[in-house]
Amino acid sequence: FAFDGLDNGTAYKLSVSSINALGASPESAGWVITPTDHTVFNGGFEGGFQGWAVTDGNSPSLISNAGSAFSEGKWAAHLFPGGGSVQQTITVPSGSGASLTLSAKVPGTQNGEVAPLIVEIRDAGGAVLEQKTVTVQRSFGTHTVDLSAYMGRQVDLRLAHGAAAGRTIYLDAVKVTVR
């Protein structure tokens, strides 16, 4: 479904019910959505992997925040060593500049543990246009990649664990913002 006329940053509660020849169903418990101008769909993974292609190597999983606070929401993607990745086609908005931001952390209790996260921008044919490796630390940190070179273009965003072995990565709050 698509909804027109919603204001960015305003929370809306959605619920559903059905009506047929037998009558009406009870209204669902509902869920809250907050529209944004971000071009990444489900960047907080609150809807599971909806909108994301799960690819390569050790398949990523979802993890809930039982006992561990995430950057936002209750869910995060859990990337494993060995090449597990998530990928989504986005259109980078036009403006004076655009950036990809994401939050990531290495779960664990020992200081000094890090893991590489690969951020790739690909064209529609899969060719890598840009690749950056960010070092993910023990606590959630925000990482930024400049997307200004791709404003107004449709690109594939691929986020992958960059090590063959080692610690896993929690990934959350993936967004594109316009400056």
Side-chain angles (χ1 to χ4, degrees):
F1 291 96
F3 301 97
D4 294 323
L6 302 180
D7 295 321
N8 287 331
T10 300
Y12 296 89
K13 182 180 180 188
L14 301 177
S15 59
V16 295
S17 64
S18 64
I19 301 174
N20 61 26
L22 299 175
S25 70
E27 190 173 287
S28 69
W31 61 97
V32 176
I33 64 164
T34 305
T36 67
D37 58 0
H38 305 140
T39 59
V40 175
F41 180 77
N42 189 30
F45 301 96
E46 298 304 302
F49 285 118
Q50 184 178 7
W52 293 95
V54 177
T55 58
D56 303 329
N58 293 329
S59 292
S61 66
L62 294 170
I63 185 109
S64 69
N65 68 348
S68 173
F70 289 148
S71 180
E72 61 183 40
K74 296 179 181 178
W75 294 92
H78 191 188
L79 302 179
F80 297 94
S85 69
V86 293
Q87 183 170 319
Q88 186 173 136
T89 300
I90 63 171
T91 300
V92 180
S94 296
S96 60
S99 296
L100 169 74
T101 59
L102 59 90
S103 292
K105 83 175 217 174
V106 174
T109 59
Q110 297 178 12
N111 288 326
E113 293 178 308
V114 298
L117 177 68
I118 297 172
V119 179
E120 285 183 349
I121 308 301
R122 297 178 172 195
D123 67 14
V128 176
L129 303 171
E130 184 173 348
Q131 182 180 59
K132 300 229 184 244
T133 301
V134 297
T135 301
V136 179
Q137 306 283 334
R138 184 173 157 253
S139 58
F140 267 109
T142 300
H143 305 276
T144 303
V145 175
D146 186 16
L147 297 179
S148 298
Y150 311 104
M151 289 189 307
R153 292 178 59 187
Q154 189 175 65
V155 296
D156 288 336
L157 167 64
R158 181 177 175 268
L159 305 168
H161 198 299
R167 302 294 299 182
T168 61
I169 296 173
Y170 290 170
L171 175 65
D172 199 15
V174 182
K175 301 174 184 173
V176 173
T177 55
V178 178
R179 299 187 291 274

